Amino acid sequence: MKRVVLTYGTFDLFHAGHLSLLKRLKDLGDYLVVGVSTDKFNESKGKKTIISFQDRIKIISELKCVDLAIPEESWDQKIEDVKRFNASIFGMGHDWEGHFDFLRNHCEVIYLPRTEGISSTLLKNTLRAFDNSHVDDLKKALDLISSIVERFD
Ligand code: C2G
């Protein structure tokens, strides 16, 4: 009897923190099902992504540790998915601690430590720093600060 593990995420700008979590979740069972947030669902989460849903789910589905990737279209599909895949474990990173305890009536709920020092947001901000228009804004701000400092010299 396969021990199915279920998780969900956006997985934008896929990075080592995402991979570490998925591998640790897979190690808890035999079969890992990953719900990947659709672009429409992310809009409802107020989350803007750089990588499209099609590409995000393609990356996830190709990972050695992932057995099945499915679309995550709403907050409400989790109970149905636990039943549909007969999941023994639902797991997320600990930034979600407590948010999904309602699933404890249906399966084990586990929150694993996040990987510190990396996130899609950090990657986006780093990339933004190299964006020309952002550099132009920084230059304008620097010129303004220099002109203010000159007035006090
Ligand atoms: N994660 C991690 N370490 C990081 C970054 C993320 O362990 N440095 C984990 C998160 O805790 C989450 C998973 O990787 O369990 C996916 O993270 P996101 O793509 O940010 O997912 P999120 O937007 O939080 O969507 O219904 C649940 C939501 O779909 C979760």
Side-chain angles (χ1 to χ4, degrees), residues 7-12 15 17-18 21 24 35 37 41-42 45 47 72 74-75 78 90-96 100 112-120:
T7 188
Y8 298 81
T10 302
F11 301 107
D12 192 27
H15 55 68
H18 293 139
L21 181 91
R24 281 177 285 144
S37 312
F41 179 47
N42 271 320
K45 284 194 233 172
K47 202 159 187 177
E72 180 188 26
S74 89
W75 291 110
K78 292 184 175 67
F90 170 85
M92 294 293 291
H94 76 277
D95 49 314
W96 287 95
F100 303 112
L112 297 175
R114 273 174 68 95
T115 302
E116 294 313 324
I118 186 154
S119 69
S120 307

Side-chain angles (χ1 to χ4, degrees), residues 14-30:
F14 191 78
H15 55 68
H18 293 139
L19 182 61
S20 166
L21 181 91
L22 293 177
K23 288 175 76 169
R24 281 177 285 144
L25 285 173
K26 177 60 179 283
D27 288 345
L28 297 174
D30 315 296

